Amino acid sequence: AITALINVMQKMVQTTVELNTHMTELQMVTGETGRAAYESFDEYNEIAKELGVTTANVIDGANEWARQGRTAAETTELIRASTVQATIANMDYATSSKLLTATLNGYQKSADEAMDVVDALSAVDMAAATSVEELAEALQRTANSARLAGVDFETLIAYIAAVIDTSQLAPEVVGTAFK
């Protein structure tokens, strides 16, 4: 019993150090200090509980979005969307943030629209022989060109899904072909 207690205490210390490291990195990016940083931590902890992930994952996501110059409100929206995307697509959080960034920027969508993007990708994932990650990979290569050509987002993901579904080509190939 004492050994188990010692192991729990060591894990608590390790987790505290890890969270402190993540928060320090985030503070360096955002410039937050003191109370503001603790308020952000509390918010990120609540998001983590709500989405069933670790607080460290959420803080890492916040760090990725803050590095892009996003506001605190945008960061919160984007963390939720990229974390949900990472969870449903079984991809790592950094990849999810990167792919979501490419789609949002390519279609000039706001942070408020990020969850709509994730929902659309997820819906197509369920209807076709493709995945959220494959769709996002293809979008990364073609979203901006498609927007400039006047192809709306939903139409583009339907095209991409149809091609991947029937051809089983790599999403990078499909995205580049649509470009």
Side-chain angles (χ1 to χ4, degrees):
I2 292 177
T3 305
L5 181 60
I6 291 171
N7 288 339
V8 168
M9 295 295 283
Q10 287 175 335
K11 182 67 175 167
M12 286 174 52
V13 169
Q14 179 184 8
T15 300
T16 302
V17 169
E18 179 184 341
L19 287 172
N20 186 47
T21 301
H22 290 289
M23 280 304 295
T24 301
E25 290 172 5
L26 184 60
Q27 283 178 284
M28 289 171 36
V29 171
T30 62
E32 286 183 340
T33 58
R35 180 171 289 173
Y38 285 109
E39 288 173 3
S40 293
F41 178 84
D42 289 341
E43 181 178 11
Y44 299 149
N45 189 41
E46 287 303 314
I47 292 170
K49 287 181 200 174
E50 177 186 323
L51 299 177
V53 298
T54 68
T55 304
N57 290 138
V58 173
I59 293 170
D60 283 345
N63 198 352
E64 289 294 322
W65 293 111
R67 286 183 191 279
Q68 295 179 27
R70 303 293 186 148
T71 66
E74 289 175 325
T75 296
T76 300
E77 288 291 324
L78 294 165
I79 288 168
R80 286 181 194 282
S82 61
T83 301
V84 167
Q85 178 174 274
T87 303
I88 61 174
N90 198 26
M91 69 175 92
D92 67 76
Y93 299 97
T95 301
S96 177
S97 296
K98 179 180 124 186
L99 294 174
L100 188 55
T101 296
T103 300
L104 294 174
N105 290 347
Y107 266 96
Q108 297 182 339
K109 291 185 175 286
S110 68
D112 293 341
E113 298 171 288
M115 192 56 82
D116 295 336
V117 168
V118 172
D119 289 343
L121 295 175
S122 179
V124 172
D125 174 354
M126 300 309 246
T130 187
S131 69
V132 169
E133 187 169 9
E134 289 174 328
L135 293 167
E137 284 281 348
L139 282 167
Q140 180 182 25
R141 288 163 174 73
T142 191
N144 190 52
S145 299
R147 178 187 56 81
L148 291 172
V151 179
D152 68 76
F153 175 71
E154 289 78 12
T155 301
L156 180 60
I157 60 173
Y159 289 160
I160 290 170
V163 171
I164 291 174
D165 189 21
T166 57
S167 71
Q168 293 300 301
L169 289 171
E172 299 85 3
V173 172
V174 174
T176 302
F178 275 106
K179 191 174 178 181

